[in-house]
Amino acid sequence: MRSHEQIIKNILSIEQDMKDERFDNIRALKRGAFTVLMLIGCVCLGVIAYHISSAMVKAAEKKERAMAVADEVTTIISGLCLLQAEYDDGYVTARIRWEGPGTFDAEKYSWRLSYFGEVPAATEERHPLTLTSSAARPEEEGTYVVRLRVQGRISWDGYSLVCENERVSHRRRLSA
Amino acid sequence: MSDSDEKYASFLAGDAKSLFALIEEYHMRLSLYLNLVLGDICDAQDAVQETFARLYFKKPRISGGVGFKAWLYGFARRCAEDFANYGKLLSMNYMDEKVSDDDEELLVSSVLGDGEAAKLYCDLKSSSGEPAQMCYLTQIEGFTPRETEFIMKKRMSDIEETEEPAAEEDE
């Protein structure tokens, strides 16, 4: 026969189990909420990263387009476009498109190297350029090759060739 | 207001010990009644536990214009009816204590003694059915006809009518 003490004991056990279950439910709920927040956070970060990267890509494209336009403009002004600048074993070889009147004269421009993040005069002092005898050799119609000797050994990376006169300045990064 | 009504009101006000006192007072008599309803002393004792568990957790208010005792018997009867559906039971997992069939005799003698009431109970148990339950409520528990109707959720005349065909068959 089930005594009244046993009935009371069972009822209190049910109550304790209900409390434990409620506690477990709350804990599971907290864990679920944390997971959901983490997911929302990840999605937000993803969206922000996507917007930032697409903005950076757009800015880079815009800058590239602006540079291309600037190149075209300077070409129209000066008649010269610096197509390519290659460094090889102490020499820089530049390919130039010439749209100006008459023939291209390399002597009429000043040539120097510039190094990324360095004061122009310092680079020029360390690695002055000298036009070689075969400078401004016509390659094909409207295109010339200019060969310059570099004083001192450089690594091509980070250097740009600058060609300028009193009106315009052309710049092209060195390639190997 | 009876002593039981006061104890239950005290329980509703937040004193759990009052309900424990009511459990001590009523659990055996209620087991006898539900034994007639369910036809099995083990199930009856489980249903009694379920009844008090529901009181403890749900704290229902006394309704129907009857006293606590009649209301408790009606409430217990509905719990016993739910007993068939174990999914509804609060104390389903707390009925593992085995109750032997010998408990019935012990329970009867503990509650009703060895006199006329005990004999009447044994007769009612063998006849079973709603008329037997009604007879238990009025003859042994001393409920009024109105209280009995409240507990059984039926008019006494309707219950008596169900008994008549059986009586005719006996003749």
Side-chain angles (χ1 to χ4, degrees), chain A:
Chain A
M1 190 168 68
R2 187 174 290 154
S3 64
H4 71 279
E5 287 99 343
Q6 188 61 44
I7 293 173
I8 293 165
K9 189 181 158 197
N10 285 348
I11 288 173
L12 293 177
S13 299
I14 296 168
E15 187 178 36
Q16 187 57 47
D17 285 359
M18 280 178 167
K19 280 180 186 167
D20 293 346
E21 194 181 346
R22 208 175 299 141
F23 179 72
D24 287 346
N25 287 343
I26 289 168
R27 205 165 45 181
L29 204 67
K30 278 184 180 171
R31 202 178 298 138
F34 179 73
T35 309
V36 168
L37 283 176
M38 283 286 285
L39 283 173
I40 291 170
C42 287
V43 169
C44 288
L45 282 176
V47 169
I48 290 167
Y50 170 76
H51 279 288
I52 288 173
S53 63
S54 60
M56 284 170 72
V57 167
K58 277 180 186 171
E61 283 173 354
K62 199 175 170 183
K63 191 179 174 186
E64 209 168 286
R65 275 200 303 274
M67 283 173 73
V69 170
D71 277 353
E72 289 298 321
V73 170
T74 50
T75 306
I76 290 164
I77 293 169
S78 68
L80 180 146
C81 179
L82 196 49
L83 296 174
Q84 195 180 28
E86 279 181 358
Y87 176 78
D88 183 33
D89 197 23
Y91 287 89
V92 172
T93 307
R95 286 181 64 241
I96 284 160
R97 196 171 84 235
W98 177 251
E99 293 177 355
T103 54
F104 171 66
D105 186 359
E107 301 279 356
K108 288 183 179 173
Y109 291 85
S110 66
W111 301 84
R112 65 180 174 85
L113 284 179
S114 105
Y115 187 68
F116 178 77
E118 193 175 54
V119 178
T123 318
E124 198 172 0
E125 196 177 320
R126 275 194 296 116
H127 303 293
L129 295 178
T130 317
L131 279 167
T132 60
S133 54
S134 59
R137 171 168 52 85
E139 194 181 52
E140 55 188 68
E141 195 171 343
T143 310
Y144 290 80
V145 174
V146 177
R147 197 167 161 79
L148 303 122
R149 194 165 61 82
V150 182
Q151 192 170 315
R153 307 291 293 180
I154 62 164
S155 160
W156 58 271
D157 192 28
Y159 284 89
S160 295
L161 175 65
V162 180
C163 155
E164 57 197 354
N165 62 11
E166 62 280 359
R167 288 193 300 152
V168 288
S169 175
H170 300 275
R171 175 186 294 264
R172 181 66 58 189
R173 286 196 70 165
L174 292 190
S175 57

Side-chain angles (χ1 to χ4, degrees), chain B residues 34 37-38 47 51 54 75-84:
Chain B
L34 295 185
V37 175
L38 295 168
T51 301
R54 287 188 188 187
F75 188 81
R77 188 185 167 81
R78 285 194 293 284
C79 288
E81 284 166 359
D82 285 344
F83 198 78

Side-chain angles (χ1 to χ4, degrees), chain B residues 40-54:
Chain B
D40 183 280
I41 189 64
C42 304
D43 288 349
Q45 295 205 30
D46 285 342
V48 168
Q49 179 175 290
E50 175 68 15
T51 301
F52 286 115
R54 287 188 188 187

